[in-house]
Amino acid sequence: MFEQEKALAKRILAGLEDGRLDAAGTFRYVDEADPALIHLLFGWLRAWYPPGHGASDAVLGRLGDLCTRYPKAARLAKEGATDPIVEWFLDEHSYRDLRSGEFIDLVVEKLEG
């Protein structure tokens, strides 16, 4: 199960970071994921692509487009904010300290553990 969840998280990030997927394609994966994972993935993207970062407009633009076209994506992320895993992550870690692969491994193992 870990590998499936990790692959799902990687597809979501790739869709938003690289634009490999349109909003519909990205949402198909978002809709399958745990709300806490969605909340954390969106938080990671915001941390890694702050205003002034060269790719910020593109990455955060795709995130905004996803949430505008598919309001359920924003609702899932908001729902996930209340999960104890999110509190654990924010107490113990910083988004900026973890590259995407490390971040996904850590979060998925905690969610599935």
Side-chain angles (χ1 to χ4, degrees):
M1 189 66 155
F2 288 171
E3 295 310 313
Q4 286 179 305
E5 286 295 319
K6 288 178 185 181
L8 182 68
K10 288 176 184 177
R11 285 185 197 111
I12 293 167
L13 279 185
L16 294 168
E17 283 187 294
D18 303 331
R20 293 180 188 172
L21 299 170
D22 61 8
T26 303
F27 180 70
R28 280 192 293 276
Y29 294 120
V30 167
D31 199 30
E32 292 178 35
D34 184 289
L37 178 61
I38 297 305
H39 179 82
L40 290 166
L41 288 172
F42 289 4
W44 186 90
L45 286 167
R46 288 186 190 102
W48 275 87
Y49 296 96
H53 185 286
S56 176
D57 288 347
V59 173
L60 297 182
R62 284 188 284 272
L63 178 58
D65 184 50
L66 171 70
C67 292
T68 299
R69 290 178 187 246
Y70 299 92
K72 185 178 179 184
R75 284 193 304 273
L76 287 169
K78 185 176 181 180
E79 176 187 326
T82 62
D83 192 293
I85 297 293
V86 172
E87 184 177 345
W88 162 81
F89 180 83
L90 296 174
D91 285 347
E92 301 288 325
H93 302 281
S94 170
Y95 290 115
R96 294 283 302 155
D97 291 341
L98 300 166
R99 293 237 177 250
S100 62
E102 298 168 307
F103 170 73
I104 289 169
D105 288 347
L106 178 73
V107 169
V108 168
E109 288 176 21
K110 186 71 171 180
L111 279 168
E112 297 295 321

